[in-house]
Amino acid sequence: MAVAACKGLFNSECHGNKRMETKPSGRKRVFVQTETGSVLGIELDRSDNAHTVKRKLQIALNVPIEERSLIFGDVVLKNDLSTVRNDSPLLLMRNYIHRSSSTPCLSPRKDIQQRDQSGPIEILVCSDHISRIKKLVREIVEAMKLGIDPIPVCGGLGGAYYFRNSQGANCAIVKPTDEEPYAPNNPKGFIGKVLGQPGLKRSVRVGETGFREVAAYLLDYDHFANVPSTALVKVTHSIFNINDGVNGNKYQVRKEFSKIASLQQFIPHDFDASDYGTSSFPVAAVHKIGILDIRILNTDRHAGNLLVRKIDGGGGLDQVELVPIDHGLCLPENLEDPYFEWIHWPQASIPFSEDELEYISHLDPFRDSELLRMELPMIREACLRVLVVCTIFLKEAAISGLCLAEIGDMMSREFHGLEEQPSELEFICIEARRVLEERNMLYYDNMRAVENEFQFEIDCGDGLDFTCNLEKKLALHTYCWPLSGNIRNPLSKVEENVDEWTEDDVNIIPSRSDEYAFTAQDKVATVPRPSMSMKNVSIGGRSWRHENVIQKNGYLSGMSSGNRGVNEQLAGSTSFVKLADMSEEEWVQYLENFQQLVHQAFSNHKSGSVGQRQRLGMLCKF
């Protein structure tokens, strides 16, 4: 199934290090951004490398380049720039926390913007998916030529601007990456970090919410959830904010600045979901948005980023349409605690329709990952692994008959007293990782035992049969504990006391029909016992103890994460599950374990072993 598809991808040329491979054709352009937000478009010559690009940046923008590297997503660029796609954004980052006092700075050239030959708005990493955005950009540029300036957006924590068309109507909202919360040029006082450091969410770095907005749009196939058209752009205008002291700016002199930003089509609307009764929302609209949120692990789906449009339903009756926006905190690098506002709504407890189930069944997380690698080559591999895990979880849950609220509930963390506990999804991931690590450890222990046995035979002089015996025993021991073998799901015992496990419970013989068949007495594969830190696990009761559990204040016992306000949740985020530190081979094996474990988790839900959790939404009247 999904794992088979994953194996196929990793055996092809689509995996991590080859994700950006393109054949160079003629001159290429990149947009280099410093960690304080300055941006310069640079035309690359065939002889250019990372050092010459940094040198050009130093001359044009008067920025230090010593002890700094050019970053392209997960990749630190060295000499060869052939893997960088045309119109890609690069980030110049310090290699160390401290700044060298001896780093030389050259005198800035006058009229820097003349050195950047790009237009006022340039779409980065162009593709066929942004045809609507191209038309929108043309309208904005025409309005800018007529002197119609953007308007700053008052709300929110980050800098945002309404860009208008020739009629003066809002047509797009632009969010510069260096004006995000905590970014150097945030206009609302939320500063203190440079681009590339952890942001509001530890797993979402400052300056990287923009491409996540684009990712949500690209993953919304056939406009299923109604995400507005979105692209990553380089935009130049004098409206943008530059804080005092940033880039040598001592006074607020009004001049044009270039910035990398997300540009999203503005959707006229009547309300947001916080101003309108949720009982009137169409079930299908709630389901479609929830399906997208689960796939991308949206950690910020509150009512304020669901726009509500009234539409004429005929017969004098008004109907509403939902438009999801603000996806900058989706696809974290580690599994995080999501925030699903809709988990409280009655629509989320209605089963999926046949059309929705068909849509889910056709989702392919590995194809989605390849799409994002192609369209957003700066995206980090860890984000794509989160996408894969969450999409597999959604697909398996839908097959098992779970509704949207049940799936969201399994993905949300719970609080007992002052302790935050991993969600059921996180628990499954933790157990899958433990099984992987203990399998690998026992596999290598078995191999060492085989080697010792062979050495004994050599010392005893068993003769010419040694080579034959070596091949057979190696094959037998390799299968005896295969890294991706067929084992019984360890969760079948997870609700029982570990001390009650018997030897029969933990000894399993894999089925084998070929020439290496063996007896139970000869070779037995042993499922590792759960670690001591997992002894208080119960999927049905959700009891869990983690040595790194964090303390929370002000939360009632038994409340899920869905009860918290988004600002409280962002501030208290932690990561129980990390996916980025596995090799590609381990990642495939991990997914096999993960899929085996989710089956038992969904079986527990279907059998009614999981009680309904306390949520504030259960007390609301619609």
Side-chain angles (χ1 to χ4, degrees), residues 324-445:
I325 59 171
D326 292 346
H327 297 99
L329 294 179
C330 72
L331 295 177
E333 294 181 37
N334 303 316
L335 283 187
E336 293 277 1
D337 190 19
Y339 187 84
F340 300 144
E341 181 81 17
W342 43 256
I343 202 171
H344 307 310
W345 300 349
Q347 296 93 328
S349 296
I350 297 176
F352 290 124
S353 68
E354 291 298 322
D355 290 342
E356 292 159 358
L357 289 173
E358 182 178 3
Y359 182 88
I360 294 172
S361 70
H362 285 97
L363 293 174
D364 183 342
F366 307 107
R367 181 192 63 184
D368 294 344
S369 298
E370 286 308 306
L371 169 68
L372 295 185
R373 288 189 186 102
M374 180 61 64
E375 303 297 336
L376 298 171
M378 74 293 297
I379 194 169
R380 299 179 186 273
E381 199 67 24
C383 306
L384 301 180
R385 290 186 173 184
V386 169
L387 172 67
V388 169
V389 165
C390 292
T391 304
I392 291 175
F393 190 75
L394 168 66
K395 290 170 69 71
E396 295 288 349
I399 291 173
S400 299
L402 274 68
C403 67
L404 187 63
E406 291 174 316
I407 301 172
D409 196 60
M410 292 183 70
M411 298 176 72
S412 299
R413 293 177 184 172
E414 189 172 349
F415 288 87
H416 287 282
L418 301 179
E419 293 183 352
E420 182 180 37
Q421 299 179 356
S423 66
E424 292 181 51
L425 170 60
E426 288 175 303
F427 166 72
I428 294 170
C429 291
I430 291 168
E431 184 68 3
R433 184 63 176 266
R434 185 191 64 80
V435 171
L436 172 67
E437 291 175 350
E438 296 200 9
R439 277 183 175 183
N440 289 344
M441 182 170 57
L442 287 177
Y443 170 76
Y444 291 116
D445 286 345

Side-chain angles (χ1 to χ4, degrees), residues 37-202:
S38 297
V39 177
L40 182 71
I42 299 177
E43 295 282 346
L44 298 181
D45 297 321
R46 291 184 181 274
S47 60
D48 273 331
N49 55 36
H51 176 73
T52 60
V53 169
K54 290 192 292 182
R55 179 69 173 171
K56 291 178 180 180
L57 194 69
Q58 181 186 44
I59 294 173
L61 298 184
N62 190 32
V63 295
I65 61 173
E66 289 189 357
E67 296 184 348
R68 282 160 171 79
S69 300
L70 282 179
I71 308 296
F72 187 39
D74 289 320
V75 180
V76 177
L77 297 175
K78 301 297 183 182
N79 289 328
D80 185 16
L81 300 180
S82 61
T83 58
V84 178
R85 292 181 55 190
N86 188 42
D87 287 343
S88 290
L90 308 180
L91 179 62
L92 181 70
M93 286 191 64
R94 284 176 290 185
N95 298 335
Y96 306 102
I97 299 300
H98 67 274
R99 175 174 176 174
S100 172
S101 58
S102 62
T103 300
C105 290
L106 303 183
S107 299
R109 299 284 183 87
K110 293 183 179 181
D111 201 5
I112 291 173
Q113 289 301 326
Q114 290 186 3
R115 295 178 56 82
D116 187 339
Q117 300 300 318
S118 57
I121 301 180
E122 295 281 352
I123 302 174
L124 307 188
V125 197
C126 296
S127 74
D128 296 334
H129 293 84
I130 54 173
S131 56
R132 299 177 185 176
I133 290 291
K134 291 180 179 179
K135 180 176 182 296
L136 194 61
V137 166
R138 288 194 294 268
E139 293 178 2
I140 295 172
V141 172
E142 188 63 32
M144 291 168 63
K145 291 179 180 178
L146 296 176
I148 300 176
D149 290 331
I151 302 173
V153 178
C154 296
L157 301 178
Y161 304 85
Y162 291 126
F163 276 65
R164 299 183 285 175
N165 58 22
S166 300
Q167 288 72 44
N170 296 339
C171 63
I173 183 167
V174 171
K175 300 177 182 178
T177 57
D178 69 325
E179 297 187 29
E180 295 176 7
Y182 297 154
N185 290 312
N186 181 277
K188 299 171 182 177
F190 300 101
I191 58 175
K193 297 186 178 182
V194 297
L195 302 184
Q197 291 184 331
L200 281 176
K201 283 284 187 179
R202 293 191 180 101

